[in-house]
Structures are given as C-alpha cells and as structure tokens.
Amino acid sequence: MSRTPSTRVLRLFGLGSRAESRRVADILRAETVGGALLLAGALLGMLWANSPWAHGYEALRSFEVGPAALHLRLDLATWAADGLLAVFFFVAGLELKREFTAGDLRDPRRAAVPVAAAVGGVLVPAVAYLVTTSLAGAADAGRGWAIPTATDIAFALAVLAVIGRHLPAALRTFLLTLAVVDDLLAIVIIAVFYTEHLAPLPLLGAAVPLAVFSLLVRRGVRAWWLLLPLAALTWALVHASGVHATVAGVLLGFAVPARGDATVAEHFEHRFRPLSAGAAVPVFAFLSAGVTIGGVDGLGRALTDPVAVGVVAGLVLGKPLGVMAATWLVSRLTHAELDENLAWVDVAGLAVLAGIGFTVSLLVGELAFGAGSARDAYVKIAVLAGSLTAALLAAVVLRLRDNVYRRIEQAQAGQAVTDS
C-alpha cells in the first residue's frame, strides 16, 4: 500500500512504521486533539513572545525563504498565513463541497435554520464592531469590521466534544453547518474586501492548472505526485495575482467531486485533515498569536483600545445575538423548523460557542491592519481574550445542559431495565 501525504509527513518526524503513522493520523483527526494543538500552538507563541528570548521568536517569524519568482520570497509568518492556511481552507472547501452535494446543506429546508444562523452570526458581530469603534471615535478602525465574524471550526468543535458527551447529535450538526457556512462567508469576505492589488494575468493563469486538477480528480485520479504540483502551481499563481492565496485552497477543494458512496472528496479529507489539524493550523497559530503583551499595563492598554473592544464585543455579544436572532426569525417567519431534539437553551449555548473566532479572525486582523503592526497586536490579544471568554461562557451553559441530558439518559436506561 502506498503511503499517503499525511503518513509521509508524519514519518519525517520520526514516526517510522506505517502502522504508527496511521495511528497518529487517526488521533489527529479527532476534534479534541485538533483543538488542543491549536490552543497549544497559540500559547507557545504567546509565551515565547513574552519571554527573555522574544527576539528569537521575531527572528523566526521574519526569516525569509523561497524563490523570488511569483513573489514567493516570503517570511515564515507569511508562509504560515498564505501557505499553511491554504491546507486548512482546502479541507474546509472539501467539507463545504460535501455538505452542499450530499450533506445537510443539500436540503434547503433542513439547512435553512443553521444557514440563517451563520448569516446572522456574520452580520451582527460586524455591526457590533463598527458601532463600538465608532462610539470610541476610532475613525481608522473600520477596516477591521470582519475580524469578529468568523467561527473557528476546530476550536469550537473541540470544546463541544469535551463538554458535550450527552448533548443531542443535532447540536453538533447545527454547529458544523453554521461553521461551514461561516467559513464560506469568510472566504468571500477575504477575496472581495481584502484584495488590494489585483493582477489579472496570474489569476487567469491559475485557471489552467486548476482546470487540469479538476479534470483529473473527476476521473478518479488520486496520485499525489501528479495532483500536488498542479495544486501548488494554482496556489502560487493565485498568490501572485494579489488575491489571498487561501482562496486557492477553497477552489481546489470545490473542484473535487463529492457524490457517490466513496467519494474522492472524502478520501482527500481523510488524508489531509491530519495535516491541517496537526501541522498547518497549530503552526499558523504559533507564528501568528505570539504578541508582546507588556505586562499588566500592556494588557490593559491593549484591551482598552477601540479596535480590541470592538473585536471582543463582536465575538462575545454580537455572535450569540446574531445567531439567536437569525435562528428565531427564520423559524418563526418561514416553514423551516428547529430540530425537534434541540431546546432553545441548547441553541443559546451553541450561539455563545460560535463566538470562538480564532484562526480566520487572526488572519483577517493581519490583512486589515498589517502583520506586526501595533493595532494587529491589539487585535491578537482581543481575539484570544474574546475567544477564551466565549469558550468559558459556552462551557458553563452547555455543561449544565449536558448534565440534564445525562440524567434523562440514565432515567431512560433505568426504565428500560424495569420494563424488561
């Protein structure tokens, strides 16, 4: 059996046998593990950036590698944001394609409630951010309006998996659908609002390897040595065009067919999810979340900055308000209905959980204010603070609900024993 990309990368780190590499890859597919690695990467970056060896962290971030052709001479922080996150968005694109063709998003009536929740969870946080920064008189803050609009799939699902062992499966489906649509909206926002200089020729050129890639995968070709160069060329040309290179990951993911019993999309998602969860996202978090706080005084200055206040307000207040309001409106004004297994308090806990906006929020912050700028540093602290607050608040609500469902399960089990 040929080695897959995920096991091949794992063996580079000393995991010698194929069986051992497969076991590690299976572990990395677990939502709790992916979320833990994401958090660990961010904490490690924060600790290093605030240690006596902080200059080493900055030297690592700014170290440049790559050829000058197609503007690929980039520092490691940019490689993480543009290159590694393309893997994350490729997996997201595969998941989006599968949901649209064979999953919950295929049935409009079934998908209407979580899709509306996702839209509300994008619009209201943006409004909350703009209102907050306007009241604070920060006229130059408008460019960051999209920072609190994204829900981090890996982090949110990891929290739900840890605290919600007895919660209805419908709650996870709701969150997954919301987060998937949220990602799609975030991708559109990045492509439309954060592309400053567009070079048409490289963008048109990217269509050629993308078309060949699409043709091959539609014919069932899975050979990495043939598909990977085409994907890399597509990414490089999109990067050279001025459009954020992560968009290439989504386009490649959407090019993969997702119909049938054993789809190519499922195959690729199975193979590349360990790379995304175990390497791409944690390394991005490590290289992006590290910001010098400057002690208690520095933390106070950061969290009182109008942009930081707007980000926290968007994540902690805007997200749950938008998700709940949109869910209630669409369930009352249309034929769409909330899943019968869910109570409104369950949705409220999930709406708070949707305020975890980590990976894409950090990326948008860099695009909005420039990587390494003072305001970007404040954004990072605000995203971390807002996401942690949302996670803790959601954990309280969902843990209480989990206990309720656990007691119901125990009562039903006891009743079944009595009846027998």
Side-chain angles (χ1 to χ4, degrees):
M1 184 181 295
S2 62
R3 285 175 286 173
T4 63
S6 56
T7 57
R8 184 172 290 104
V9 170
L10 289 170
R11 293 188 71 177
L12 292 175
F13 288 90
L15 299 175
S17 69
R18 294 183 183 179
E20 187 176 11
S21 299
R22 290 195 202 99
R23 283 196 299 272
V24 174
D26 289 339
I27 291 172
L28 291 176
R29 292 185 185 101
E31 291 159 357
T32 51
V33 175
L37 290 175
L38 168 62
L39 183 58
L43 288 176
L44 183 58
M46 287 285 289
L47 290 173
W48 194 357
N50 290 276
S51 73
W53 307 278
H55 64 280
Y57 178 78
E58 291 302 323
L60 179 65
R61 281 175 43 88
S62 60
F63 183 76
E64 293 187 353
V65 293
L70 297 177
H71 308 287
L72 293 180
R73 184 71 178 178
L74 307 172
D75 58 51
L76 291 182
T78 305
W79 272 112
D82 291 8
L84 289 179
L85 276 195
V87 179
F88 167 79
F89 277 105
F90 174 68
V91 175
L94 292 171
E95 195 165 25
L96 283 166
K97 180 68 174 290
R98 184 162 50 81
E99 290 295 326
F100 276 119
T101 57
D104 291 331
L105 298 182
R106 181 182 59 177
D107 183 358
R109 292 187 61 182
R110 186 177 179 185
V113 174
V115 168
V119 174
V122 169
L123 295 178
V124 177
V127 172
Y129 172 90
L130 291 173
V131 169
T132 303
T133 54
S134 296
L135 291 175
D140 59 338
R143 187 163 171 76
W145 64 271
I147 296 170
T149 61
T151 297
D152 191 283
I153 293 179
F155 207 161
L157 287 178
V159 172
L160 186 64
V162 170
I163 64 177
R165 298 176 185 272
H166 302 280
L167 292 172
L171 196 65
R172 183 189 181 280
T173 303
F174 191 109
L175 176 60
L176 182 60
T177 305
L178 183 155
V180 164
V181 176
D182 195 301
D183 266 1
L184 178 60
L185 295 174
I187 291 160
V188 173
I189 288 171
I190 290 172
V192 174
F193 295 98
Y194 294 97
T195 297
E196 295 182 351
H197 306 290
L198 183 64
L201 287 181
L203 188 60
L204 291 174
V208 177
L210 178 62
V212 177
F213 178 92
S214 178
L215 178 64
L216 290 177
V217 294
R218 289 180 184 280
R219 293 191 174 186
V221 175
R222 301 183 182 185
W224 69 268
W225 54 268
L226 187 58
L227 297 177
L228 191 57
L230 292 169
L233 182 57
T234 302
W235 175 88
L237 289 169
V238 171
H239 178 271
S241 73
V243 175
H244 198 270
T246 52
V247 174
V250 181
L251 295 175
L252 290 164
F254 265 82
V256 179
R259 292 186 181 275
D261 295 330
T263 67
V264 180
E266 288 177 341
H267 171 79
F268 282 166
E269 186 176 349
H270 182 77
R271 299 308 186 195
F272 282 92
R273 186 172 292 281
L275 292 180
S276 175
V281 175
V283 172
F284 167 77
F286 168 68
L287 291 173
S288 296
V291 56
T292 303
I293 296 176
V296 176
D297 291 339
L299 182 62
R301 286 193 300 271
L303 292 179
T304 54
D305 179 79
V307 168
V309 174
V311 170
V312 174
L315 292 174
V316 179
L317 300 177
K319 265 289 183 180
L321 180 60
V323 170
M324 286 296 293
T327 303
W328 185 86
L329 284 173
V330 77
S331 63
R332 290 291 182 270
L333 302 179
T334 71
H335 295 294
E337 296 181 354
L338 188 67
D339 191 288
E340 61 182 8
N341 295 314
L342 296 180
W344 279 103
V345 66
D346 300 329
V347 180
L350 183 144
V352 177
L353 187 64
I356 299 176
F358 196 80
T359 306
V360 178
S361 294
L362 292 177
L363 174 61
V364 174
E366 291 185 356
L367 295 175
F369 298 111
S373 66
R375 185 140 274 173
D376 178 48
Y378 293 161
V379 167
K380 291 176 180 178
I381 293 173
V383 169
L384 292 169
S387 298
L388 182 59
T389 302
L392 292 175
L393 293 175
V396 172
V397 177
L398 294 176
R399 174 59 75 182
L400 292 174
R401 294 300 297 167
D402 188 70
N403 290 335
V404 171
Y405 285 109
R406 178 176 54 81
R407 289 193 291 269
I408 292 174
E409 289 178 3
Q410 291 173 344
Q412 291 174 341
Q415 184 63 42
V417 171
T418 303
D419 294 341
S420 62

Short mmCIF file of all heavy atoms in Angstrom, two decimals, residues 35-73:
data_model
loop_
_atom_site.label_atom_id
_atom_site.label_comp_id
_atom_site.label_asym_id
_atom_site.label_seq_id
_atom_site.Cartn_x
_atom_site.Cartn_y
_atom_site.Cartn_z
N GLY A 35 -8.24 20.78 18.34
CA GLY A 35 -8.43 22.00 19.13
C GLY A 35 -7.34 22.19 20.16
O GLY A 35 -6.89 23.31 20.40
N ALA A 36 -6.90 21.09 20.78
CA ALA A 36 -5.83 21.18 21.78
C ALA A 36 -4.52 21.64 21.15
O ALA A 36 -3.79 22.46 21.72
CB ALA A 36 -5.65 19.84 22.48
N LEU A 37 -4.19 21.11 19.97
CA LEU A 37 -2.96 21.51 19.28
C LEU A 37 -3.03 22.98 18.85
O LEU A 37 -2.02 23.70 18.91
CB LEU A 37 -2.72 20.62 18.07
CG LEU A 37 -2.31 19.17 18.37
CD1 LEU A 37 -2.23 18.36 17.09
CD2 LEU A 37 -0.98 19.13 19.11
N LEU A 38 -4.20 23.41 18.42
CA LEU A 38 -4.39 24.82 18.05
C LEU A 38 -4.13 25.72 19.26
O LEU A 38 -3.38 26.70 19.16
CB LEU A 38 -5.82 25.01 17.55
CG LEU A 38 -6.33 26.44 17.36
CD1 LEU A 38 -5.51 27.17 16.32
CD2 LEU A 38 -7.79 26.44 16.98
N LEU A 39 -4.70 25.37 20.39
CA LEU A 39 -4.51 26.16 21.60
C LEU A 39 -3.06 26.11 22.06
O LEU A 39 -2.49 27.13 22.47
CB LEU A 39 -5.44 25.65 22.71
CG LEU A 39 -5.42 26.42 24.03
CD1 LEU A 39 -5.78 27.88 23.82
CD2 LEU A 39 -6.36 25.78 25.03
N ALA A 40 -2.45 24.93 21.97
CA ALA A 40 -1.05 24.78 22.39
C ALA A 40 -0.13 25.63 21.53
O ALA A 40 0.80 26.27 22.04
CB ALA A 40 -0.64 23.31 22.31
N GLY A 41 -0.37 25.66 20.22
CA GLY A 41 0.45 26.49 19.34
C GLY A 41 0.35 27.96 19.68
O GLY A 41 1.35 28.67 19.72
N ALA A 42 -0.88 28.42 19.96
CA ALA A 42 -1.08 29.83 20.31
C ALA A 42 -0.41 30.16 21.64
O ALA A 42 0.25 31.19 21.77
CB ALA A 42 -2.58 30.13 20.38
N LEU A 43 -0.56 29.29 22.63
CA LEU A 43 0.05 29.54 23.94
C LEU A 43 1.57 29.55 23.86
O LEU A 43 2.23 30.38 24.48
CB LEU A 43 -0.42 28.48 24.94
CG LEU A 43 -1.87 28.59 25.40
CD1 LEU A 43 -2.24 27.42 26.30
CD2 LEU A 43 -2.11 29.91 26.12
N LEU A 44 2.12 28.62 23.07
CA LEU A 44 3.57 28.57 22.92
C LEU A 44 4.09 29.85 22.27
O LEU A 44 5.12 30.41 22.70
CB LEU A 44 3.97 27.35 22.08
CG LEU A 44 5.48 27.13 21.89
CD1 LEU A 44 6.18 26.98 23.23
CD2 LEU A 44 5.72 25.89 21.02
N GLY A 45 3.40 30.33 21.25
CA GLY A 45 3.79 31.58 20.61
C GLY A 45 3.71 32.76 21.58
O GLY A 45 4.61 33.61 21.61
N MET A 46 2.64 32.81 22.39
CA MET A 46 2.48 33.89 23.36
C MET A 46 3.59 33.84 24.41
O MET A 46 4.17 34.88 24.77
CB MET A 46 1.11 33.76 24.03
CG MET A 46 -0.05 34.14 23.15
SD MET A 46 -0.21 35.93 22.93
CE MET A 46 -0.77 36.41 24.56
N LEU A 47 3.88 32.65 24.90
CA LEU A 47 4.91 32.52 25.93
C LEU A 47 6.28 32.92 25.40
O LEU A 47 7.04 33.63 26.08
CB LEU A 47 4.94 31.08 26.46
CG LEU A 47 3.73 30.66 27.30
CD1 LEU A 47 3.80 29.17 27.61
CD2 LEU A 47 3.66 31.47 28.59
N TRP A 48 6.62 32.46 24.21
CA TRP A 48 7.92 32.79 23.64
C TRP A 48 8.03 34.29 23.37
O TRP A 48 9.05 34.91 23.64
CB TRP A 48 8.14 31.98 22.36
CG TRP A 48 9.57 32.01 21.88
CD1 TRP A 48 10.61 32.70 22.42
CD2 TRP A 48 10.11 31.30 20.76
NE1 TRP A 48 11.77 32.48 21.71
CE2 TRP A 48 11.48 31.62 20.68
CE3 TRP A 48 9.57 30.43 19.81
CZ2 TRP A 48 12.31 31.11 19.68
CZ3 TRP A 48 10.38 29.91 18.83
CH2 TRP A 48 11.75 30.25 18.76
N ALA A 49 6.95 34.88 22.84
CA ALA A 49 6.97 36.31 22.52
C ALA A 49 7.10 37.18 23.76
O ALA A 49 7.51 38.34 23.67
CB ALA A 49 5.72 36.69 21.74
N ASN A 50 6.73 36.65 24.93
CA ASN A 50 6.81 37.42 26.17
C ASN A 50 7.90 36.91 27.11
O ASN A 50 7.89 37.21 28.30
CB ASN A 50 5.46 37.38 26.87
CG ASN A 50 4.41 38.18 26.14
OD1 ASN A 50 4.30 39.39 26.30
ND2 ASN A 50 3.62 37.50 25.31
N SER A 51 8.84 36.16 26.57
CA SER A 51 9.95 35.63 27.35
C SER A 51 11.20 36.46 27.11
O SER A 51 11.23 37.33 26.22
CB SER A 51 10.21 34.18 26.94
OG SER A 51 10.83 34.12 25.65
N PRO A 52 12.27 36.22 27.87
CA PRO A 52 13.54 36.93 27.60
C PRO A 52 14.13 36.61 26.24
O PRO A 52 15.04 37.31 25.80
CB PRO A 52 14.45 36.42 28.73
CG PRO A 52 13.52 35.98 29.81
CD PRO A 52 12.33 35.43 29.11
N TRP A 53 13.62 35.58 25.59
CA TRP A 53 14.14 35.19 24.28
C TRP A 53 13.20 35.61 23.15
O TRP A 53 13.15 35.00 22.09
CB TRP A 53 14.33 33.67 24.24
CG TRP A 53 15.15 33.18 25.38
CD1 TRP A 53 16.52 33.18 25.48
CD2 TRP A 53 14.67 32.66 26.62
NE1 TRP A 53 16.92 32.69 26.68
CE2 TRP A 53 15.81 32.35 27.41
CE3 TRP A 53 13.41 32.40 27.15
CZ2 TRP A 53 15.70 31.81 28.70
CZ3 TRP A 53 13.29 31.87 28.43
CH2 TRP A 53 14.43 31.58 29.18
N ALA A 54 12.43 36.68 23.39
CA ALA A 54 11.44 37.14 22.41
C ALA A 54 12.08 37.51 21.07
O ALA A 54 11.46 37.36 20.02
CB ALA A 54 10.68 38.34 22.96
N HIS A 55 13.35 37.99 21.09
CA HIS A 55 13.99 38.36 19.84
C HIS A 55 14.15 37.14 18.92
O HIS A 55 14.12 37.27 17.70
CB HIS A 55 15.36 38.99 20.13
CG HIS A 55 16.33 38.05 20.77
ND1 HIS A 55 16.30 37.76 22.13
CD2 HIS A 55 17.35 37.32 20.25
CE1 HIS A 55 17.26 36.88 22.41
NE2 HIS A 55 17.91 36.61 21.30
N GLY A 56 14.33 35.95 19.52
CA GLY A 56 14.43 34.74 18.73
C GLY A 56 13.13 34.42 18.03
O GLY A 56 13.12 33.95 16.87
N TYR A 57 12.02 34.66 18.71
CA TYR A 57 10.70 34.43 18.11
C TYR A 57 10.48 35.37 16.92
O TYR A 57 10.04 34.93 15.84
CB TYR A 57 9.61 34.64 19.16
CG TYR A 57 8.20 34.49 18.64
CD1 TYR A 57 7.65 33.23 18.43
CD2 TYR A 57 7.42 35.61 18.37
CE1 TYR A 57 6.35 33.09 17.96
CE2 TYR A 57 6.13 35.49 17.90
CZ TYR A 57 5.59 34.22 17.70
OH TYR A 57 4.30 34.09 17.21
N GLU A 58 10.81 36.64 17.09
CA GLU A 58 10.64 37.60 16.00
C GLU A 58 11.58 37.28 14.84
O GLU A 58 11.22 37.44 13.67
CB GLU A 58 10.87 39.02 16.50
CG GLU A 58 9.79 39.52 17.43
CD GLU A 58 8.42 39.47 16.78
OE1 GLU A 58 8.31 39.74 15.56
OE2 GLU A 58 7.44 39.16 17.49
N ALA A 59 12.80 36.82 15.16
CA ALA A 59 13.73 36.44 14.10
C ALA A 59 13.20 35.25 13.31
O ALA A 59 13.33 35.19 12.08
CB ALA A 59 15.10 36.10 14.71
N LEU A 60 12.56 34.31 14.01
CA LEU A 60 11.97 33.16 13.33
C LEU A 60 10.82 33.60 12.43
O LEU A 60 10.72 33.16 11.28
CB LEU A 60 11.47 32.16 14.37
CG LEU A 60 10.79 30.90 13.83
CD1 LEU A 60 11.78 30.05 13.04
CD2 LEU A 60 10.17 30.08 14.96
N ARG A 61 9.95 34.44 12.95
CA ARG A 61 8.81 34.92 12.15
C ARG A 61 9.25 35.66 10.90
O ARG A 61 8.63 35.55 9.85
CB ARG A 61 7.93 35.86 13.00
CG ARG A 61 7.00 35.19 13.96
CD ARG A 61 6.29 36.21 14.84
NE ARG A 61 5.83 37.37 14.07
CZ ARG A 61 4.66 37.45 13.45
NH1 ARG A 61 3.83 36.43 13.50
NH2 ARG A 61 4.32 38.54 12.79
N SER A 62 10.31 36.42 11.01
CA SER A 62 10.75 37.28 9.90
C SER A 62 11.77 36.60 8.98
O SER A 62 12.21 37.22 8.01
CB SER A 62 11.34 38.58 10.44
OG SER A 62 12.45 38.32 11.28
N PHE A 63 12.13 35.36 9.26
CA PHE A 63 13.11 34.66 8.42
C PHE A 63 12.51 34.38 7.05
O PHE A 63 11.44 33.79 6.93
CB PHE A 63 13.54 33.36 9.09
CG PHE A 63 14.60 32.61 8.33
CD1 PHE A 63 15.92 33.03 8.36
CD2 PHE A 63 14.27 31.50 7.56
CE1 PHE A 63 16.89 32.35 7.65
CE2 PHE A 63 15.23 30.82 6.85
CZ PHE A 63 16.56 31.25 6.89
N GLU A 64 13.19 34.81 5.99
CA GLU A 64 12.66 34.70 4.63
C GLU A 64 13.21 33.47 3.91
O GLU A 64 14.40 33.18 3.98
CB GLU A 64 12.97 35.96 3.82
CG GLU A 64 12.25 37.20 4.33
CD GLU A 64 12.44 38.38 3.40
OE1 GLU A 64 13.24 38.27 2.45
OE2 GLU A 64 11.79 39.42 3.62
N VAL A 65 12.30 32.79 3.23
CA VAL A 65 12.67 31.64 2.40
C VAL A 65 11.83 31.67 1.14
O VAL A 65 10.80 32.34 1.08
CB VAL A 65 12.44 30.29 3.14
CG1 VAL A 65 13.38 30.14 4.32
CG2 VAL A 65 10.99 30.16 3.59
N GLY A 66 12.28 30.94 0.12
CA GLY A 66 11.52 30.81 -1.11
C GLY A 66 12.13 31.57 -2.27
O GLY A 66 12.95 32.48 -2.07
N PRO A 67 11.73 31.22 -3.49
CA PRO A 67 12.26 31.88 -4.69
C PRO A 67 11.64 33.25 -4.89
O PRO A 67 10.54 33.53 -4.42
CB PRO A 67 11.85 30.91 -5.81
CG PRO A 67 10.60 30.28 -5.30
CD PRO A 67 10.79 30.13 -3.81
N ALA A 68 12.34 34.10 -5.60
CA ALA A 68 11.81 35.44 -5.89
C ALA A 68 10.71 35.41 -6.92
O ALA A 68 9.88 36.32 -6.98
CB ALA A 68 12.95 36.35 -6.36
N ALA A 69 10.69 34.36 -7.74
CA ALA A 69 9.67 34.25 -8.78
C ALA A 69 8.28 34.19 -8.16
O ALA A 69 8.07 33.59 -7.10
CB ALA A 69 9.92 32.99 -9.62
N LEU A 70 7.31 34.85 -8.84
CA LEU A 70 5.91 34.89 -8.41
C LEU A 70 5.75 35.44 -6.99
O LEU A 70 4.82 35.10 -6.27
CB LEU A 70 5.28 33.49 -8.49
CG LEU A 70 5.20 32.87 -9.89
CD1 LEU A 70 4.63 31.45 -9.82
CD2 LEU A 70 4.36 33.74 -10.82
N HIS A 71 6.70 36.28 -6.57
CA HIS A 71 6.64 36.94 -5.26
C HIS A 71 6.61 35.91 -4.12
O HIS A 71 5.90 36.09 -3.13
CB HIS A 71 5.40 37.84 -5.16
CG HIS A 71 5.27 38.80 -6.29
ND1 HIS A 71 6.08 39.91 -6.42
CD2 HIS A 71 4.44 38.81 -7.37
CE1 HIS A 71 5.74 40.57 -7.52
NE2 HIS A 71 4.75 39.93 -8.11
N LEU A 72 7.39 34.85 -4.25
CA LEU A 72 7.38 33.78 -3.26
C LEU A 72 8.55 33.85 -2.28
O LEU A 72 8.79 32.90 -1.53
CB LEU A 72 7.37 32.42 -3.96
CG LEU A 72 6.10 32.10 -4.74
CD1 LEU A 72 6.19 30.74 -5.40
CD2 LEU A 72 4.87 32.18 -3.84
N ARG A 73 9.29 34.95 -2.27
CA ARG A 73 10.30 35.16 -1.25
C ARG A 73 9.59 35.76 -0.04
O ARG A 73 9.41 36.98 0.08
CB ARG A 73 11.39 36.11 -1.77
CG ARG A 73 12.56 36.30 -0.78
CD ARG A 73 13.40 35.05 -0.69
NE ARG A 73 14.54 35.23 0.21
CZ ARG A 73 15.42 34.27 0.49
NH1 ARG A 73 15.29 33.08 -0.08
NH2 ARG A 73 16.43 34.50 1.31
#
